[in-house]
Amino acid sequence: NGKARKDHSWFVGYGPVGGDEPPKYIVAVVIQNGGLGTVAATPAACKALVTALDRDPSDCNAGRNPSATAVAD
């Protein structure tokens, strides 16, 4: 159709990290034509991880590194 499309957005992560236990959760997010991963997929993955880890959803606020914050022990 001649319209420019955005890149696909994807992010894969796991948690929690640290401690003696291996990570319990893995998340993979792919958003077709979503743009950069930090714009679309990473925030969605962060929300999934903080929910699974029973963490504060504010850990996914803009300006923070959601992937590192969400999976930190």
Side-chain angles (χ1 to χ4, degrees), residues 17-60:
V17 295
D20 296 332
E21 297 289 323
K24 292 169 57 172
Y25 305 102
I26 297 171
V27 62
V29 176
V30 177
I31 300 177
Q32 186 175 0
N33 301 318
L36 298 175
T38 55
V39 175
T42 304
C46 183
K47 290 176 185 177
L49 283 173
V50 297
T51 299
L53 297 170
D54 196 27
R55 298 280 303 269
D56 185 348
S58 68
D59 285 347
C60 293

